[in-house]
Amino acid sequence: MSKVFENPAYLRAKLYDVQHSTNTAKLHDKWAYVGADGNTYTHPTEQGAMRFAGTHGLSVFTLRADYDTDVCEFSSSDETKLRMFGKDHHAAAKIKPDMTLLDPAGNTIATMDAWATEWTEADQ
């Protein structure tokens, strides 16, 4: 899976701004992402770049782990691997999080609360 990276056009503009005391970088999105279709998509935020690319050929699923004091998110185009990762992490964690698996549109697919041992599908 491709990773989010700083947009080269943004970086070139930042360098230009340092050399010339201007602010042209504000005209460029900071983050970029290469979608499954091979095109580069840009967005002002890192997460936005991933989701934007997801609407153009790459379905990006999200695994959210809620530890009450902190929320961690992991993204992948492979829903099955996220399910396996989430279940393995949940089984091994000393502090069990409530977990939610989201589709590319942000809808809940499945959940696993702190006491569960298996995923519960959202449509059940």
Short mmCIF file of all heavy atoms in Angstrom, two decimals, residues 63 81-91 99 112 119:
data_model
loop_
_atom_site.label_atom_id
_atom_site.label_comp_id
_atom_site.label_asym_id
_atom_site.label_seq_id
_atom_site.Cartn_x
_atom_site.Cartn_y
_atom_site.Cartn_z
N LEU A 63 -9.25 1.02 11.01
CA LEU A 63 -9.43 0.30 12.27
C LEU A 63 -9.19 1.30 13.38
O LEU A 63 -8.10 1.89 13.46
CB LEU A 63 -8.44 -0.86 12.37
CG LEU A 63 -8.43 -1.62 13.70
CD1 LEU A 63 -9.77 -2.30 13.95
CD2 LEU A 63 -7.31 -2.63 13.71
N LYS A 81 -6.96 -7.99 6.43
CA LYS A 81 -5.76 -7.83 7.25
C LYS A 81 -6.02 -6.93 8.45
O LYS A 81 -5.50 -7.17 9.53
CB LYS A 81 -4.60 -7.31 6.42
CG LYS A 81 -4.02 -8.37 5.52
CD LYS A 81 -2.80 -7.90 4.81
CE LYS A 81 -2.29 -9.02 3.90
NZ LYS A 81 -1.26 -8.56 2.99
N LEU A 82 -6.83 -5.88 8.27
CA LEU A 82 -7.17 -5.03 9.41
C LEU A 82 -7.96 -5.81 10.45
O LEU A 82 -7.74 -5.65 11.66
CB LEU A 82 -8.00 -3.82 8.95
CG LEU A 82 -7.24 -2.61 8.46
CD1 LEU A 82 -8.20 -1.49 8.07
CD2 LEU A 82 -6.24 -2.10 9.47
N ARG A 83 -8.88 -6.67 10.00
CA ARG A 83 -9.64 -7.51 10.94
C ARG A 83 -8.70 -8.43 11.73
O ARG A 83 -8.81 -8.55 12.94
CB ARG A 83 -10.66 -8.36 10.20
CG ARG A 83 -11.90 -7.61 9.76
CD ARG A 83 -12.83 -8.55 8.99
NE ARG A 83 -14.00 -7.89 8.53
CZ ARG A 83 -15.17 -7.84 9.20
NH1 ARG A 83 -15.28 -8.45 10.35
NH2 ARG A 83 -16.19 -7.21 8.68
N MET A 84 -7.77 -9.07 11.01
CA MET A 84 -6.82 -9.98 11.67
C MET A 84 -5.92 -9.21 12.63
O MET A 84 -5.70 -9.65 13.76
CB MET A 84 -5.99 -10.72 10.63
CG MET A 84 -6.78 -11.75 9.85
SD MET A 84 -5.92 -12.61 8.49
CE MET A 84 -4.23 -12.26 8.67
N PHE A 85 -5.40 -8.08 12.19
CA PHE A 85 -4.54 -7.26 13.04
C PHE A 85 -5.29 -6.83 14.30
O PHE A 85 -4.77 -6.92 15.41
CB PHE A 85 -4.04 -6.04 12.27
CG PHE A 85 -3.26 -5.08 13.13
CD1 PHE A 85 -1.94 -5.32 13.43
CD2 PHE A 85 -3.87 -3.93 13.61
CE1 PHE A 85 -1.23 -4.44 14.23
CE2 PHE A 85 -3.16 -3.04 14.41
CZ PHE A 85 -1.84 -3.30 14.72
N GLY A 86 -6.52 -6.34 14.11
CA GLY A 86 -7.32 -5.89 15.25
C GLY A 86 -7.59 -7.01 16.24
O GLY A 86 -7.47 -6.82 17.45
N LYS A 87 -7.97 -8.17 15.74
CA LYS A 87 -8.26 -9.30 16.61
C LYS A 87 -7.00 -9.77 17.35
O LYS A 87 -7.04 -10.02 18.56
CB LYS A 87 -8.83 -10.46 15.78
CG LYS A 87 -9.37 -11.58 16.62
CD LYS A 87 -10.05 -12.62 15.74
CE LYS A 87 -10.47 -13.81 16.58
NZ LYS A 87 -11.06 -14.86 15.77
N ASP A 88 -5.87 -9.85 16.65
CA ASP A 88 -4.61 -10.25 17.28
C ASP A 88 -4.17 -9.24 18.33
O ASP A 88 -3.73 -9.60 19.42
CB ASP A 88 -3.50 -10.42 16.23
CG ASP A 88 -3.71 -11.64 15.35
OD1 ASP A 88 -4.58 -12.49 15.67
OD2 ASP A 88 -3.01 -11.73 14.32
N HIS A 89 -4.27 -7.96 17.99
CA HIS A 89 -3.89 -6.91 18.94
C HIS A 89 -4.79 -6.97 20.17
O HIS A 89 -4.31 -6.88 21.30
CB HIS A 89 -3.96 -5.53 18.30
CG HIS A 89 -3.76 -4.43 19.30
ND1 HIS A 89 -2.53 -4.18 19.87
CD2 HIS A 89 -4.62 -3.54 19.84
CE1 HIS A 89 -2.65 -3.18 20.73
NE2 HIS A 89 -3.91 -2.78 20.72
N HIS A 90 -6.08 -7.14 19.95
CA HIS A 90 -7.04 -7.18 21.05
C HIS A 90 -6.72 -8.34 21.98
O HIS A 90 -6.74 -8.19 23.20
CB HIS A 90 -8.45 -7.31 20.47
CG HIS A 90 -9.53 -7.03 21.45
ND1 HIS A 90 -10.05 -8.00 22.27
CD2 HIS A 90 -10.19 -5.88 21.75
CE1 HIS A 90 -10.99 -7.46 23.03
NE2 HIS A 90 -11.10 -6.18 22.72
N ALA A 91 -6.41 -9.50 21.41
CA ALA A 91 -6.10 -10.68 22.23
C ALA A 91 -4.81 -10.49 23.02
O ALA A 91 -4.71 -10.97 24.17
CB ALA A 91 -5.98 -11.92 21.33
N MET A 99 -12.90 -1.65 19.74
CA MET A 99 -12.41 -1.50 18.37
C MET A 99 -13.58 -1.36 17.41
O MET A 99 -14.63 -1.98 17.58
CB MET A 99 -11.55 -2.70 18.00
CG MET A 99 -10.38 -2.86 18.95
SD MET A 99 -9.23 -4.11 18.42
CE MET A 99 -8.14 -3.08 17.49
N MET A 112 -15.75 -4.56 18.12
CA MET A 112 -15.29 -5.52 19.11
C MET A 112 -15.09 -4.74 20.41
O MET A 112 -14.21 -3.88 20.48
CB MET A 112 -13.98 -6.19 18.67
CG MET A 112 -13.50 -7.27 19.62
SD MET A 112 -11.91 -8.00 19.16
CE MET A 112 -12.27 -8.71 17.58
N TRP A 119 -15.24 -10.36 16.22
CA TRP A 119 -15.88 -9.20 15.65
C TRP A 119 -17.40 -9.39 15.62
O TRP A 119 -17.88 -10.48 15.34
CB TRP A 119 -15.40 -8.97 14.21
CG TRP A 119 -14.00 -8.43 14.13
CD1 TRP A 119 -12.89 -9.13 13.79
CD2 TRP A 119 -13.58 -7.10 14.38
NE1 TRP A 119 -11.79 -8.31 13.81
CE2 TRP A 119 -12.19 -7.04 14.17
CE3 TRP A 119 -14.23 -5.92 14.75
CZ2 TRP A 119 -11.45 -5.88 14.33
CZ3 TRP A 119 -13.51 -4.77 14.91
CH2 TRP A 119 -12.12 -4.75 14.70
#
